[in-house]
């Protein structure tokens, strides 16, 4: 993997790490293809009703999440680093074209490493201060991000 | 030049464009080498007392500006796009390692195109809303950014 500029800080960041039994190539595909991502990216019974991906630095990453009651929550940001099958970095602090966002919250890093026939999966949420880290934790980071990894693995096994 | 994701918006962004009679290679060198940048980056009698550059996406871009009265103003951000001798994008909305910043303000884009023996120089300041655009304008964007281009050209001719 190319040397990373990322320096996680345990005081500010949240980390989810897991060994999963699907190969990095399929995890990458599930994360970077709108029609695949929609199938697993939100903990059910929430769902993803729309997804737009322009896979390059500054390119859009947009999802719309729908609650079980039918309320929709759009999220828009952009990619920062795209290293195929290895590392994907995106943020909501910048809109597409690197324009400062009205609601900056966090930067997300996904890192994949081959581990036997599977993948060592690592997702890090990088925050600017302890308050946003705590807010993300209270929103259910660990359960939520853990649940969607399980959903992703099931989807990959069934459909990719 | 590689296709750009940048989409300047006249309502939100500020642009400085100028044809200068020094080649793009030397402009790039002046912008990306701390000991060169210090010599021209601040409108005199202000000065740059420190500069740190890690020229890759997520790498640090830090300067310290000193007022004529001796007060120091640190600025820290990171690079987003580095296309040698063509395009340089940096922002203060993210700290090094893509960490959300406590004081997000703008993203800057420098684009260089060969024009005869010189350079078509284009600098764009991208803001998230009209208030920050206006604030930047009131801080003297046009005079300030214009002055430092003149200083840069003089420095390049004398020293590079």
């Amino acid at each position: 993997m190319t040397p990373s500029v990322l320096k996680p800080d345990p005081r500010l960041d949240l980390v989810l790490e897991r060994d999963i039994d699907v190969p990095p190539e399929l995890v990458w595909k599930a994360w970077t293809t709108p029609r695949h991502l929609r199938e697993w990216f939100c903990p059910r019974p929430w769902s993803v009703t729309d997804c737009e991906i322009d896979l390059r630095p500054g390119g859009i990453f947009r999802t719309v999440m729908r609650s079980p009651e039918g309320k929709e929550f759009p999220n828009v940001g952009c990619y920062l680093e795209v290293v195929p099958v290895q590392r994907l970095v995106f943020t909501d602090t910048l809109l597409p074209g690197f324009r400062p966002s009205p609601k900056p919250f966090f930067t997300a890093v996904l890192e994949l490493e081959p581990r036997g026939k599977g993948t060592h999966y690592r997702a890090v949420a990088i925050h600017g201060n302890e308050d946003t880290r705590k807010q993300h934790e209270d929103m259910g980071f660990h359960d939520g991000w853990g649940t969607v990894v399980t959903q992703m693995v099931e989807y990959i096994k069934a459909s990719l």
Side-chain angles (χ1 to χ4, degrees), chain A residues 9 43 46 53-54 57 64 67 70 72 77 85 100 106-107 113 115 125 128 155 159:
Chain A
D9 176 338
W46 283 63
I53 287 176
D54 178 5
V64 178
S67 75
E72 295 202 325
V85 195
F106 82 123
T107 294
E113 274 181 69
R115 188 73 52 101
Y155 175 74
S159 310

Side-chain angles (χ1 to χ4, degrees), chain A residues 5-78:
Chain A
V5 295
L6 306 162
K7 292 186 184 124
D9 176 338
R11 210 169 39 86
L12 299 178
D13 303 329
L14 298 169
V15 180
L16 180 126
E17 246 170 318
R18 198 185 286 183
D19 286 307
I20 54 180
D21 61 348
V22 289
E25 290 75 14
L26 296 184
V27 177
W28 185 262
K29 196 171 172 185
W31 259 95
T32 59
T33 316
R35 73 176 190 283
H36 297 319
L37 185 140
R38 289 172 63 151
E39 300 300 322
W40 62 266
F41 192 65
C42 237
R44 279 186 281 273
W46 283 63
S47 62
V48 176
T49 56
D50 200 3
C51 173
E52 196 177 346
I53 287 176
D54 178 5
L55 200 61
R56 54 180 173 155
I60 195 168
F61 179 39
R62 186 177 67 85
T63 57
V64 178
M65 300 186 176
R66 182 155 63 188
S67 75
E69 296 75 32
K71 193 168 173 202
E72 295 202 325
F73 297 85
N75 302 282
V76 64
C78 74

Side-chain angles (χ1 to χ4, degrees), chain A residues 70-102:
Chain A
K71 193 168 173 202
E72 295 202 325
F73 297 85
N75 302 282
V76 64
C78 74
Y79 294 101
L80 296 169
E81 245 194 306
V82 179
V83 186
V85 195
Q86 292 183 354
R87 185 166 55 232
L88 188 64
V89 183
F90 59 93
T91 190
D92 62 10
T93 64
L94 292 168
L95 302 177
F98 300 126
R99 182 175 302 284
S101 154

Side-chain angles (χ1 to χ4, degrees), chain A residues 6-17 122 124-134 137 141-142:
Chain A
L6 306 162
K7 292 186 184 124
D9 176 338
R11 210 169 39 86
L12 299 178
D13 303 329
L14 298 169
V15 180
L16 180 126
E17 246 170 318
R122 186 163 186 261
V124 184
I126 297 180
H127 307 92
N129 54 62
E130 290 184 57
D131 285 349
T132 53
R133 192 264 297 150
K134 178 147 191 335
E137 214 164 13
F141 170 86
H142 292 287

